[in-house]
Amino acid sequence: MARKSMHGEWSSRWAFVLAATGSAVGLGNIWKFPYITGENGGGAFVLVYLACIIVIGIPVMMAEIMLGRRGRQSPINTMHDLAVESGHNPNWKWLGWLGVLAGFLILSYYSVIAGWSLAYVFRSASGAFTGATADGVESLFLERFLAHPETLLFWHTLFMAMTMIIVARGVKSGLESAVKFLMPTLFLLLLVMVGYAMSQGEAFTQGLEFMFRPNFSALTWGGVLTAMGQAFFTLSLGMGAIMVYGSYLSHTASISRTTFAIAAADTSVALLAGIAIFPIIFANNMEPSAGPGLIFISLPLAFGHMPGGVLFGSLFFVLLSFAAWTSSISLLEPVVTWLVETFSLRRITATLYAGILTWLLGVVSVFSFNDWAFEFEFAGVLKENGVFDILDILTTNIMLPLGGLFIAIFAAWFMSREASRDELGLGDSMRYNLWRFLVKFVTPAAILLVFLNMLGII
Ligand code: PHE
């Protein structure tokens, strides 16, 4: 029994791949991956992150797309209907709720950081970085930017408005062509940055060693949890974003091939960003553990010294803002589809309600970087930005993996074998059985292992 989505369908499998890649590739790859790698000591962290992508991320992504395509609604109603359909408790809808809530919390601070990226387009274009020193770019960021809540608020507001405009119009129009041109350009520009990093002599090798030589004594269980959370965050998993996009996917598209393409693109962008950034950090005697400002102080330094730096710098932040935009759209979409389905609201009204509420919560993150900043330690890492850090840890390290755990459990233990086999379209092949083995045993066990270790239970 195939359902149809009341919100429409993608024009092709490609449109879905592009939109899902647009959702996956974002601040998580370019802003977050380098800074948390820096905070957690490098190599060993990267290795655990890659392992999580393979063992947890890919199987969960397949499960999420599959559930979405079978349910064809917002995550909440999809989980409800799929549970009832297979004779289980309708309370599975709470899993959808967990996701919608996570999306709302993530978007609130995501939009603030995306606002930084927007602001940095103009800073680059004005030539503010030309010839700058390490101290110069740092004070430009910390004292002349982060310290001013009204500036951050302005950019946060602009970014939230941009996100709301697209979601209100329906995500399927426009997203496709935007992603088609912008993603490859972003990729090329990252290669240019890697080229610049290579010109840093010694520091390039130092950067590579930092990222790829595992030193397990630098990694705590907190770091492992952060790496696992990042695997969910970067692939947009565990909160229904990919589920909603899957719900617009046609029945003929191959879920497994699509998943591999998205995961490969996403992982390459993150690794390239790291390879571009760490050599700059080492060449200028900066700290890899500088926290959320890492790319906003290291990259401007590179742009300030490379030929064509004003152009490359502006273009880079334009593309980063676009990448963030295509991700934020997917964070808002699950909430909006649910409002539309449940209260028969118009898309535009639903977007306004959800967007304004998210914007309001974002204001708290704006102040986390200045007036309301406070410090605390999380698993051995010093966090300096109060509520922003708390929201990030709560969503990325707890809510997303928890969502992923239940998605895996539902797909493997509750949904019938016939249903998942039929939906994945892999027949009774090796690939299907491998997937099922992973989501049934390996993925849940891995997530539980990390949680229990973190809590000190094992
Ligand atoms: N994957 C996005 C990024 O890396 C963030 C995101 C998380 C988007 C969860 C949707 C859902 O920036």
Side-chain angles (χ1 to χ4, degrees):
M1 175 219 42
R3 293 186 183 82
K4 267 189 116 50
S5 168
M6 68 182 269
H7 311 280
E9 220 174 73
W10 301 108
S11 58
S12 66
R13 178 177 90 95
W14 255 108
F16 168 76
V17 173
L18 288 170
T21 308
S23 164
V25 176
L27 294 172
N29 307 62
I30 294 172
W31 160 74
K32 198 171 194 191
F33 172 73
Y35 100 72
I36 56 176
T37 299
E39 283 181 340
N40 289 283
F45 178 86
V46 174
L47 204 66
V48 174
Y49 158 77
L50 291 174
C52 289
I53 295 278
I54 295 171
V55 175
I56 302 175
I58 292 179
V60 170
M61 186 181 278
M62 287 175 63
E64 232 186 85
I65 300 175
M66 172 190 90
L67 296 179
R69 187 164 74 176
R70 203 164 182 86
R72 293 256 185 237
Q73 298 160 78
S74 70
I76 297 173
N77 293 333
T78 285
M79 288 315 302
H80 176 275
D81 285 14
L82 290 185
V84 171
E85 172 187 296
S86 45
H88 299 293
N89 196 314
N91 277 327
W92 276 100
K93 71 166 185 271
W94 290 103
L95 177 54
W97 268 107
L98 177 74
V100 167
L101 181 65
F104 161 69
L105 297 177
I106 293 175
L107 183 56
S108 76
Y109 67 81
Y110 199 88
S111 166
V112 175
I113 311 292
W116 299 1
S117 177
L118 281 178
Y120 265 61
V121 172
F122 295 90
R123 288 196 146 187
S124 307
S126 72
F129 310 136
T130 311
T133 59
D135 287 341
V137 284
E138 200 172 292
S139 93
L140 209 57
F141 180 69
L142 295 176
E143 283 136 45
R144 308 229 335 248
F145 187 63
L146 273 204
H148 299 280
E150 70 289 350
T151 312
L152 302 193
L153 195 60
F154 170 80
W155 294 107
H156 162 53
T157 309
L158 181 65
F159 186 82
M160 221 29 238
M162 285 166 52
T163 303
M164 287 163 68
I165 288 172
I166 302 291
V167 174
R169 290 176 43 202
V171 295
K172 285 169 294 309
S173 50
L175 207 56
E176 197 171 339
S177 44
V179 178
K180 194 151 50 190
F181 294 106
L182 296 167
M183 284 292 151
T185 321
L186 178 65
F187 206 82
L188 280 181
L189 207 60
L190 277 172
L191 289 180
V192 171
M193 301 300 297
V194 171
Y196 177 79
M198 283 171 129
S199 74
Q200 301 292 300
E202 263 307 86
F204 183 65
T205 340
Q206 236 179 317
L208 285 186
E209 275 188 14
F210 180 74
M211 270 184 74
F212 296 111
R213 177 171 293 168
N215 166 13
F216 280 94
S217 64
L219 192 67
T220 58
W221 273 104
V224 174
L225 178 68
T226 307
M228 180 174 82
Q230 173 65 5
F232 281 97
F233 187 90
T234 192
L235 292 175
S236 307
L237 298 178
M239 50 74 62
I242 291 292
M243 197 186 281
V244 168
Y245 277 11
S247 75
Y248 311 146
L249 183 63
S250 87
H251 259 286
T252 49
S254 154
I255 291 181
S256 59
R257 264 190 294 151
T258 313
T259 298
F260 280 110
I262 301 166
D266 186 81
T267 309
S268 346
V269 172
L271 293 178
L272 282 180
I275 296 173
I277 286 162
F278 286 111
I280 303 171
I281 305 276
F282 291 118
N284 294 285
N285 295 317
M286 297 168 123
E287 281 301 320
S289 58
L294 190 70
I295 68 159
F296 294 92
I297 47 191
S298 58
L299 291 181
L301 201 54
F303 295 129
H305 293 272
M306 64 165 73
V310 171
L311 178 72
F312 283 138
S314 326
L315 193 60
F316 177 83
F317 286 110
V318 166
L319 293 168
L320 181 60
S321 306
F322 260 107
W325 199 15
T326 52
S327 301
S328 63
I329 290 165
S330 72
L331 282 161
L332 191 53
E333 184 68 8
V335 192
V336 169
T337 47
W338 175 75
L339 286 173
V340 169
E341 284 163 16
T342 312
F343 302 105
S344 315
L345 294 181
R346 296 197 0 228
R347 207 165 223 287
I348 181 160
T349 321
T351 308
L352 269 178
Y353 287 149
I356 291 174
L357 207 63
T358 314
W359 175 86
L360 255 180
L361 183 63
V363 175
V364 181
S365 284
V366 162
F367 284 104
S368 302
F369 292 97
N370 34 65
D371 299 4
W372 300 346
F374 60 84
E375 293 179 354
F376 64 95
E377 199 171 291
F378 173 74
V381 176
L382 180 71
K383 298 284 181 183
E384 299 176 342
N385 303 300
V387 176
F388 158 79
D389 282 315
I390 293 176
L391 281 176
D392 181 39
I393 293 169
L394 175 72
T395 50
T396 311
N397 294 353
I398 298 167
M399 294 174 84
L400 298 185
L402 208 59
L405 173 66
F406 283 108
I407 287 169
I409 291 177
F410 184 83
W413 294 87
F414 286 82
M415 201 169 166
S416 74
R417 200 185 168 88
E418 291 67 40
S420 63
R421 205 171 43 200
D422 169 48
E423 202 60 50
L424 286 175
L426 294 172
D428 209 7
S429 62
M430 262 272 286
R431 262 207 268 171
Y432 173 76
N433 287 305
L434 178 64
W435 170 80
R436 199 173 157 84
F437 175 74
L438 285 174
V439 275
K440 195 160 185 173
F441 304 106
V442 183
T443 307
I447 299 174
L448 279 174
L449 180 80
V450 179
F451 272 154
L452 295 180
N453 259 297
M454 188 57 208
L455 293 173
I457 295 175
I458 47 177

